[in-house]
Amino acid sequence: MSLLPGQAPTKRLRLDEASAPSGYSGGIGRGAKIPMQTRADMGMHTAVPTKRGTDAMFGNAPPGYVPGRGRGATGFIGGVSRDEVDRDDDKADLGDSNYDEFSGYSGSLFSNAEYDEEDKEADVVYDKIDVKMDQRRLKQREKRMREQIKELRAEKPTIQQQFADLKRELATVSNEEWEGIPEAQEHLKVKQRKPSNFTATPDALLASMGASRGMSGSATPMGGAATPMGGFGTPMGMRTPMGGMRSQMGLRTPMGLRTPMGLRSPYGMSTPMGMHTPMGMGTPMSGMGTPHTPMGMRSPHGGGRTPMGMHTPMGMHTPMGMHTPMGMATPMGSRTPHGGMRTPGMRTPGYGTPHTPMTPHSVGGGLNELGEAREKVLAVKLDRIMDSVTGQTVMDPKGYLTDLNALQVQSDADISDIKKARTLLKSVITSNPKHGPGWIAAARLEEVAGKVQSARQLIAQGCKHCPNNEDVWLEAARLEKPQNAKAVVAKAVKSLPHSVRLWIDAANRESELAAKGRVLRKALEFIPNSVRLWKEAVSLEDETEARVMLSRAVECVPHSVEMWLALAKLSAYKDAQKVLNEARKHIPTSPVIWVTAAKLEETQGNEKMVELILTRAIDSLAANGVTPDRDMWLKQAEEAEKTGFTKTCQAIVKVTIKVGVDEDVKGMKQNWIQDADAAINRNSIEVARAIYNNAVMHLKGKKGLWLRLAELETKYGNAESLDNVLQRAVTYCPHAEILWLMAAKQKWLRGDVASARRILAEAFSHSKESEAIHLAAVKLESENNEIQRSRLLLARARQQCNTPKVWMQSVQLEREQGLFQQALHLCEEGLKEHPAYAKMWMIGGQIHMEKSPPELMEATKFFERGLQKCPRSVPLWLCAVECEVKQQKYTKARSLLEKARLRNPGADLLWLKGIEVELLDGSERLAHHLMSKALQECATSGTLWAKAIELEPKQGQNAKSVDALKKCENDAHVIVSVAKLFWRDAKNAKARKWFNRAVTLNPRLGDAWGAYLAFELEHGTSHEQREVIRKCVDAEPNQGLEWNKVIKKVANWRAKWAVKLKRYVEEVYSAEFNAKPLNREVELLLQGEDPYAAMATAQEEAAAEKEEEGVKEEEGGIKRESFEPASSFQGARPGYCFKMGSRGLGYYRDPKQDVSVKGEVKQEGKAKVKEEDEKK
């Protein structure tokens, strides 16, 4: 039998079977003749064989010995094969049920092998491979899973989705229709079960039953007699019936009933000796009547005294009516400790209690059960606050102090709570008078209750019982009057002279700084090793005294880093060095001291010493067993940056750049990037810059690090730092095209075209076949109107690169110059090289359409040729359809769209174009039909849903928008359509909110920006209009059907983004754009001006207009001009200021001086009027 996987199981033959198989002949397998005879058959064998060899030397083999078995030998006569050894492999299930044709027998072939470190390492490697392989297609799998879920939900929608339209129609259901909706049970065949009515037993019936049974005079089970002469009022307001109630243990008086007028019971029966009555009354020891004894008092005849209620947690008897802990009142007649008697404890609602025996089926059983239930509830509540075993409270006094701080007395219920708490805390301080928090809680409770004097008395007792508790003393000082508090604190510090808190409190109660200083100095005599006291004392002194005290402080507390640093800060440079050296000797494990030493050197301009000190710090800390902590060092660097020590910050990052990072390159890069990003988030720009600068020095060839550093310098640096970074980047990464392009662009933006050309020329030497560099050079020349140089660069690019994009840019350059024939010639040549480039076919057809007059037939043929080469290009199909629409060939356009949808299923733009074609043809009904089909095929297309909302009648647009938001909630096209609905309904706040949401979801959607600006131009302020323009320019939108129709025009190619936005709004929203004149600043922004320049220009023009309005005005009969030109300053002139303004250099009217002059004129006028009045 073979153990190899895939082998079919066979029957195993054993050599030691008792009987040979049928047909077996010995020796036939070795070629023996048949029949074969052996020596035994011939009678030649002997009974005892002759010993020879090892047998003769060592004797007979031991019993059970099998030769060769110990060595695993197989295949010889008389021995045993390796397969017959009893091994664990034989124990495996090798039956047919456990056999598989592909994998053989189940189970591991190496289950019994030893699992060593190599196996463990191999498993780790295989696990990583599995994780890596699983992540390679993770996004595709998740996307495919989401699509499958969407398809499943589309095929089998939920019940809520199926009834969504019906639920919306419920809004129109009237009240009558709603009431007419049948109940669900009306359609069931099962008859409704009639409700059972239960009527309470009348009081008269209960009273009559009690009266009829009360005449029997039956005795209680324990021999007690019924109480005679019912009807007497009980103290609790209850009325007992004639005959009273019987109790199980004898005479029972419910709810505190006492025997009236000291009469005996008619039967002369007394309660059993020693039994407790519910009221705690003493019972007589003979047949005497029960005398009236006070509650809780021993009777004169020796009756046992019963305490009213239950034992308190502290072992105290609770008298009747007193509150138990946590405010639970002990019910009258609750379970007594010894007798076990029960009283219902209820107030009978106005009728007599029936006189019935207390049997399990008695009528009064319900009342008894109710009373027992009440007792159980009470017991549960008491168990929560009481430990019945130890009798000690489980309330946390410290937590109770926190509750008391928020307690305010506002009602009677609060007063009741205070009483309950007072009882609890009284038991606490009585049982454990040495417990300080209990005294504090009790005092604060009295303070909350408004009894400040009681609180002072309680805390005074607490001070006597707990003289060594500083919290109690502090509470006593707080509760005392200010003039008495100092005496309390004085007693406290005598009892606890080593309490820092008491000394601090004593110092804070002094109003004069000198007195406070004396207190703190006295405290330092008792507690010289308190850092807090030294801080408080030093903070009160001037610089000289503080230095003296700090010198003493570092002697008393040499392990306080703060003391050493404060002393170094107050010392001169040389002395500070000595102080820090001493600090390092006493505290060799503190990195803060080393950082402070580096900052000290930076203040003196010793930048080389800064890095040297921090390098020594790393070595010294490591020698003293300090584990390097990267986060701690970065924190120190950030603090150094915030305090203005830039060199120290950079040095810290440099010397610790490899501390705590992975050794492999990838892990090292990730750690540095994460640290830099975290520093930027905390606004530590210098730390992030230092991390990147040191990272690129260790990983010079990593393009990603250089890009991040360049981005950092772009946002937070200046032009010089950015040029420096990019220059180093292209030096270490000469084949990174993007770095060359960034360097050239920065030069071009600053107007240094020559340097940009030089950088691009150097980039050509490293990457001659780079398409991006060639196109950047072409753009640089074309932007500077160097058309001929652009043509030459493009010609060289076509030879060296020969990419489709280079050919396209060549065509576009000629198209922009209006040279359509040269453009078409280049287009044909480019299509010979790249016939599958759809954009080239689109550009060629558009050139034919742009000619004057348009060559629409030639454009149609050009598009048809392109569609044969690129049938999967949706934009090319749209261009061909647009060409047919311009010729008003709507039937041909429909045919093209049908072909396009067959070739490109699921293309929502093709469906949208078909709808537009039907609307242009006047077939609105067909447009709606086509829209329905489009939404079925492209259910999540926001473009189609936006068009569907537009096609709906006005009254149905809101409902359609709801459906659209359910299908594509975060699609910007739908959001814009909803915002337009709010705009139409004059809900400006909501419209602005939805427009803002749309541009946030997709900032590249130009249609959203155009609609947003049109809305703000109609309803917004100039500030809101400026914000929309600024955000649009930053976003640089390049998407949108209507947007691309405008900005893709040749005239708008080189326009700025603000100008493109203006032209779009002028064309699409002309009514809103021309509704009212634009603000001057907004107008300048839409012309492409810089925001700050536009603001300054608008302000100057406004000022100039004001000046022009009052060019000439008379003051004292003198005409004064608003501006007088002057080539140089000619001295001060009243009412004028010399400056360079919007009208040139000269003297301008100063409004501030005009105000003062006018004020003086008014004062002079008033004085003249006053003088005239006096003369009159």
Side-chain angles (χ1 to χ4, degrees):
M1 170 181 176
S2 176
L3 293 178
L4 294 176
Q7 298 286 337
T10 57
K11 184 177 179 182
R12 181 177 8 181
L13 298 178
R14 298 180 62 86
L15 299 178
D16 56 348
E17 290 181 348
S19 59
S22 60
Y24 171 78
S25 298
I28 193 171
R30 300 189 298 275
K33 296 181 180 181
I34 300 176
M36 176 183 177
Q37 291 183 348
T38 63
R39 292 170 59 90
D41 296 335
M42 299 171 62
M44 297 173 63
H45 67 285
T46 59
V48 179
T50 305
K51 295 182 179 181
R52 58 182 178 179
T54 57
D55 290 343
M57 186 181 301
F58 300 101
N60 295 329
Y65 172 76
V66 178
R69 183 168 185 175
R71 301 187 302 276
T74 58
F76 52 86
I77 301 174
V80 61
S81 66
R82 185 188 300 270
D83 294 337
E84 295 178 3
V85 179
D86 188 11
R87 298 177 299 175
D88 293 339
D89 297 342
D90 295 336
K91 298 179 182 179
D93 185 8
L94 303 179
D96 294 342
S97 61
N98 199 31
Y99 175 77
D100 183 74
E101 295 182 357
F102 177 75
S103 59
Y105 291 98
S106 63
S108 174
L109 296 177
F110 307 101
S111 59
N112 295 329
E114 183 180 357
Y115 188 80
D116 54 7
E117 292 297 329
E118 294 182 356
D119 296 332
K120 183 178 180 180
E121 183 179 359
D123 289 342
V124 172
V125 173
Y126 279 115
D127 290 342
K128 291 182 179 179
I129 293 174
D130 292 340
V131 173
K132 183 68 176 179
M133 297 299 294
D134 185 63
Q135 291 179 350
R136 289 182 63 182
R137 300 290 186 269
L138 182 61
K139 293 183 178 179
Q140 291 83 348
R141 287 201 309 274
E142 291 179 351
K143 183 178 179 182
R144 184 166 58 252
M145 187 179 300
R146 286 194 296 267
E147 292 176 354
Q148 293 175 355
I149 293 174
K150 288 181 180 179
E151 293 177 359
L152 180 62
R153 290 178 178 173
E155 294 175 359
K156 297 181 181 180
T158 61
I159 296 178
Q160 183 178 5
Q161 295 174 349
Q162 295 176 10
F163 289 94
D165 53 344
L166 298 178
K167 289 173 65 177
R168 285 196 299 269
E169 293 177 2
L170 289 177
T172 60
V173 175
S174 61
N175 294 333
E176 292 77 8
E177 294 175 345
W178 183 266
E179 294 295 338
I181 298 176
E183 297 291 339
Q185 294 182 351
E186 295 181 6
H187 300 280
L188 298 177
K189 296 181 180 180
V190 181
K191 294 183 179 180
Q192 297 183 12
R193 181 178 299 177
K194 294 182 179 180
S196 302
N197 295 327
F198 298 96
T199 304
T201 305
D203 296 347
L205 179 59
L206 294 175
S208 62
M209 292 178 63
S212 61
R213 295 189 180 184
M215 300 302 294
S216 61
S218 59
T220 61
M222 295 298 295
T227 305
M229 297 179 66
F232 288 92
T234 64
M236 295 300 293
M238 295 186 59
R239 293 180 59 86
T240 56
M242 296 290 294
M245 292 184 64
R246 303 185 184 187
S247 61
Q248 299 175 357
M249 299 296 294
L251 182 60
R252 184 183 186 205
T253 53
M255 299 299 293
L257 179 65
R258 60 188 178 183
T259 306
M261 299 180 67
L263 295 177
R264 295 174 180 268
S265 61
Y267 298 98
M269 298 293 293
S270 61
T271 57
M273 182 178 63
M275 295 300 294
H276 294 274
T277 60
M279 289 295 294
M281 303 285 293
T283 56
M285 298 182 62
S286 63
M288 299 177 64
T290 305
H292 171 62
T293 58
M295 289 182 292
M297 300 295 292
R298 188 180 302 273
S299 63
H301 297 284
R305 178 185 177 185
T306 304
M308 183 60 193
M310 299 182 64
H311 289 281
T312 63
M314 304 306 297
M316 300 294 294
H317 290 289
T318 305
M320 185 189 70
M322 293 298 291
H323 292 278
T324 59
M326 293 301 292
M328 296 300 298
T330 305
M332 297 286 192
S334 61
R335 188 186 303 272
T336 56
H338 302 290
M341 296 180 61
R342 301 186 181 185
T343 303
M346 296 181 61
R347 291 182 64 89
T348 309
Y351 56 86
T353 306
H355 175 62
T356 56
M358 298 300 293
T359 61
H361 303 284
S362 62
V363 178
L367 297 177
N368 292 335
E369 292 175 359
L370 189 58
E372 293 175 0
R374 183 185 178 193
E375 290 178 356
K376 291 180 180 179
V377 172
L378 174 62
V380 170
K381 292 181 178 179
L382 291 176
D383 289 341
R384 292 176 182 174
I385 62 172
M386 178 190 300
D387 186 352
S388 59
V389 178
T390 61
Q392 298 294 325
T393 179
V394 294
M395 178 67 68
D396 182 12
K398 295 183 179 179
Y400 202 76
L401 295 178
T402 306
D403 297 337
L404 288 176
N405 291 333
L407 183 61
Q408 295 180 357
V409 181
Q410 296 179 353
S411 62
D412 295 339
D414 295 336
I415 295 174
S416 177
D417 293 340
I418 290 176
K419 292 181 179 179
K420 299 170 187 175
R422 185 182 288 118
T423 305
L424 171 64
L425 294 173
K426 184 178 180 181
S427 63
V428 170
I429 60 180
T430 304
S431 60
N432 190 3
K434 299 295 183 181
H435 188 58
W439 290 102
I440 297 174
R444 291 189 181 179
L445 179 64
E446 298 299 335
E447 182 186 9
V448 170
K451 299 180 180 181
V452 181
Q453 190 61 32
S454 300
R456 292 170 181 165
Q457 294 176 359
L458 277 174
I459 202 65
Q461 296 179 16
C463 293
K464 293 179 181 178
H465 288 89
C466 307
N468 296 326
N469 192 316
E470 62 180 6
D471 293 325
V472 177
W473 285 108
L474 289 173
E475 185 68 15
R478 187 185 68 83
L479 291 174
E480 280 294 338
K481 296 178 181 179
Q483 57 271 22
N484 300 332
K486 293 183 179 180
V488 174
V489 176
K491 292 181 181 179
V493 296
K494 288 181 180 179
S495 299
L496 294 171
H498 297 283
S499 174
V500 176
R501 293 174 60 192
L502 288 175
W503 285 108
I504 294 293
D505 185 72
N508 291 335
R509 293 185 181 279
E510 299 292 341
S511 57
E512 297 180 359
L513 294 179
K516 185 179 295 187
R518 286 195 299 270
V519 173
L520 292 173
R521 290 173 184 269
K522 188 68 175 178
L524 289 172
E525 293 179 5
F526 290 95
I527 320 172
N529 59 349
S530 173
V531 177
R532 184 179 178 185
L533 287 176
W534 280 110
K535 287 182 181 179
E536 294 288 341
V538 170
S539 63
L540 298 177
E541 305 296 338
D542 56 6
E543 184 174 348
T544 306
E545 290 296 330
R547 189 183 303 111
V548 175
M549 292 193 68
L550 285 171
S551 301
R552 176 59 180 164
V554 295
E555 295 176 2
C556 297
V557 280
H559 298 289
S560 174
V561 178
E562 295 175 329
M563 295 292 105
W564 286 105
L565 296 182
L567 180 58
K569 185 177 181 181
L570 294 177
S571 303
Y573 172 63
K574 294 295 183 180
D575 295 335
Q577 285 182 327
K578 296 178 181 178
V579 170
L580 291 175
N581 288 331
E582 289 296 325
R584 286 200 295 267
K585 293 178 182 178
H586 287 88
I587 316 174
T589 59
S590 175
V592 182
I593 298 175
W594 291 95
V595 174
T596 306
K599 293 179 181 179
L600 179 63
E601 297 298 332
E602 183 177 356
T603 57
Q604 302 300 317
N606 301 329
E607 298 180 0
K608 295 182 179 179
M609 287 297 298
V610 173
E611 185 176 346
L612 180 61
I613 288 173
L614 291 172
T615 304
R616 292 177 179 175
I618 298 296
D619 299 336
S620 175
L621 292 173
N624 286 280
V626 178
T627 304
D629 187 356
R630 180 173 183 79
D631 295 335
M632 183 273 297
W633 283 110
L634 290 177
K635 185 177 179 181
Q636 291 293 332
E638 292 178 6
E639 291 179 357
E641 178 186 357
K642 292 177 181 178
T643 52
F645 294 96
T646 306
K647 298 299 180 181
T648 302
C649 168
Q650 296 173 354
I652 291 174
V653 174
K654 183 176 181 179
V655 300
T656 61
I657 190 66
K658 286 190 174 183
V659 172
V661 298
D662 298 335
E663 295 182 358
D664 61 313
V665 175
K666 185 176 180 180
M668 192 182 300
K669 178 182 174 183
Q670 292 297 328
N671 287 337
W672 287 336
I673 291 175
Q674 291 174 4
D675 292 340
D677 292 342
I680 293 173
N681 294 335
R682 293 190 293 267
N683 201 25
S684 299
I685 307 302
E686 197 61 41
V687 174
R689 181 182 286 114
I691 291 174
Y692 279 132
N693 279 319
N694 289 279
V696 295
M697 289 296 101
H698 288 85
L699 302 175
K700 299 179 181 180
K702 291 298 180 179
K703 179 180 65 176
L705 290 175
W706 287 108
L707 288 175
R708 288 177 177 272
L709 179 56
E711 182 182 359
L712 178 69
E713 295 297 342
T714 303
K715 289 183 179 180
Y716 305 103
N718 51 32
E720 184 179 355
S721 62
L722 180 58
D723 288 342
N724 184 21
V725 169
L726 291 174
Q727 185 177 359
R728 290 188 294 151
V730 296
T731 303
Y732 292 112
C733 301
H735 298 288
E737 300 174 357
I738 188 171
L739 294 175
W740 289 105
L741 296 177
M742 289 179 65
K745 184 177 180 180
Q746 292 301 321
K747 295 292 186 182
W748 172 56
L749 290 176
R750 290 195 294 273
D752 191 357
V753 180
S755 298
R757 289 172 180 165
R758 178 182 55 78
I759 291 174
L760 290 175
E762 189 177 354
F764 278 126
S765 62
H766 294 283
S767 304
K768 294 183 178 181
E769 298 181 356
S770 173
E771 175 191 277
I773 295 177
H774 280 92
L775 294 179
V778 172
K779 184 177 181 180
L780 176 65
E781 301 300 341
S782 62
E783 290 289 343
N784 291 278
N785 294 323
E786 297 286 346
I787 306 302
Q788 189 60 32
R789 299 186 67 170
S790 299
R791 288 194 180 103
L792 295 176
L793 288 173
L794 284 170
R796 187 174 67 175
R798 291 196 298 270
Q799 294 177 358
Q800 294 181 354
C801 297
N802 194 20
T803 60
K805 200 167 183 180
V806 170
W807 283 99
M808 185 186 70
Q809 291 297 329
S810 302
V811 174
Q812 295 289 63
L813 180 64
E814 302 299 337
R815 179 185 177 187
E816 185 181 9
Q817 302 301 319
L819 304 175
F820 296 124
Q821 290 302 124
Q822 291 87 333
L824 287 173
H825 177 70
L826 287 173
C827 188
E828 292 290 349
E829 290 185 359
L831 289 173
K832 291 179 183 179
E833 297 288 338
H834 308 282
Y837 191 52
K839 282 190 176 182
M840 193 79 75
W841 292 105
M842 294 166 58
I843 291 171
Q846 290 171 356
I847 291 174
H848 283 291
M849 295 171 66
E850 290 174 1
K851 284 185 176 182
S852 182
E855 298 177 353
L856 298 180
M857 294 300 298
E858 295 296 330
T860 301
K861 294 178 182 178
F862 203 91
F863 286 135
E864 289 178 354
R865 289 168 53 198
L867 290 174
Q868 293 177 1
K869 299 291 184 179
C870 309
R872 300 291 182 184
S873 175
V874 174
L876 185 57
W877 284 102
L878 294 176
C879 290
V881 172
E882 184 67 25
C883 185
E884 299 296 339
V885 169
K886 286 192 175 183
Q887 302 177 55
Q888 295 185 354
K889 296 181 180 180
Y890 298 112
T891 304
K892 182 70 177 296
R894 292 190 187 95
S895 175
L896 285 174
L897 287 170
E898 288 293 337
K899 292 180 182 179
R901 287 195 289 267
L902 290 175
R903 294 291 184 91
N904 302 278
D908 54 347
L909 294 179
L910 295 174
W911 287 101
L912 182 62
K913 193 65 179 178
I915 295 167
E916 292 177 353
V917 168
E918 298 300 338
L919 291 174
L920 290 173
D921 196 21
S923 304
E924 187 175 352
R925 184 177 60 84
L926 291 176
H928 282 278
H929 176 68
L930 200 60
M931 176 61 74
S932 300
K933 294 177 63 177
L935 291 177
Q936 290 178 2
E937 185 169 345
C938 307
T940 58
S941 172
T943 309
L944 288 176
W945 278 107
K947 190 68 176 179
I949 295 173
E950 182 182 345
L951 290 178
E952 282 291 319
K954 183 177 180 180
Q955 60 272 16
Q957 287 182 343
N958 291 336
K960 200 69 174 179
S961 64
V962 173
D963 295 336
L965 289 172
K966 288 183 179 179
K967 292 292 184 180
C968 35
E969 181 180 2
N970 294 322
D971 191 278
H973 297 86
V974 177
I975 303 299
V976 171
S977 298
V978 175
K980 289 180 179 179
L981 295 181
F982 288 123
W983 182 9
R984 179 199 65 190
D985 297 337
K987 298 179 179 179
N988 297 334
K990 289 187 176 180
R992 182 175 290 107
K993 179 181 178 181
W994 282 77
F995 275 126
N996 190 35
R997 180 184 173 189
V999 297
T1000 303
L1001 287 172
N1002 188 3
R1004 309 303 297 274
L1005 184 61
D1007 293 340
W1009 287 110
Y1012 195 3
L1013 180 60
F1015 166 77
E1016 294 296 351
L1017 289 176
E1018 184 177 1
H1019 299 289
T1021 62
S1022 60
H1023 172 73
E1024 292 166 341
Q1025 295 166 7
R1026 291 196 303 268
E1027 285 298 311
V1028 172
I1029 297 171
R1030 183 184 61 79
K1031 291 179 180 178
C1032 178
V1033 171
D1034 294 339
E1036 298 183 357
N1038 58 357
Q1039 300 175 9
L1041 299 176
E1042 299 297 330
W1043 175 263
N1044 285 334
K1045 289 180 182 179
V1046 176
I1047 67 170
K1048 294 278 185 177
K1049 293 179 180 179
V1050 179
N1052 297 332
W1053 282 2
R1054 298 189 185 277
K1056 297 182 179 179
W1057 287 104
V1059 178
K1060 293 178 181 179
L1061 179 62
K1062 177 186 176 182
R1063 293 175 181 175
Y1064 173 82
V1065 176
E1066 282 180 333
E1067 185 171 336
V1068 180
Y1069 300 95
S1070 57
E1072 291 79 4
F1073 185 80
N1074 299 319
K1076 54 184 180 181
L1078 297 177
N1079 179 271
R1080 180 56 180 166
E1081 185 177 348
V1082 174
E1083 185 178 359
L1084 291 173
L1085 285 175
L1086 290 175
Q1087 292 175 3
E1089 294 288 339
D1090 182 78
Y1092 297 103
M1095 184 184 302
T1097 304
Q1099 290 176 355
E1100 289 182 1
E1101 290 181 357
E1105 289 179 1
K1106 290 182 180 179
E1107 291 176 359
E1108 290 294 339
E1109 291 177 359
V1111 173
K1112 295 181 179 181
E1113 58 183 16
E1114 296 183 2
E1115 291 184 7
I1118 301 176
K1119 294 183 178 180
R1120 306 177 67 185
E1121 298 288 340
S1122 62
F1123 169 70
E1124 296 180 5
S1127 59
S1128 61
F1129 182 70
Q1130 299 173 0
R1133 296 184 183 180
Y1136 287 86
C1137 63
F1138 183 78
K1139 66 178 182 179
M1140 171 64 78
S1142 59
R1143 302 175 65 181
L1145 184 64
Y1147 288 89
Y1148 288 84
R1149 288 285 303 278
D1150 190 359
K1152 296 181 179 179
Q1153 296 187 32
D1154 291 343
V1155 172
S1156 61
V1157 170
K1158 290 179 181 179
E1160 294 175 359
V1161 171
K1162 289 182 180 180
Q1163 293 294 335
E1164 292 176 359
K1166 290 181 180 179
K1168 290 181 180 180
V1169 172
K1170 188 175 181 180
E1171 290 178 1
E1172 292 176 359
D1173 291 340
E1174 291 177 354
K1175 289 179 180 180
K1176 291 181 181 179

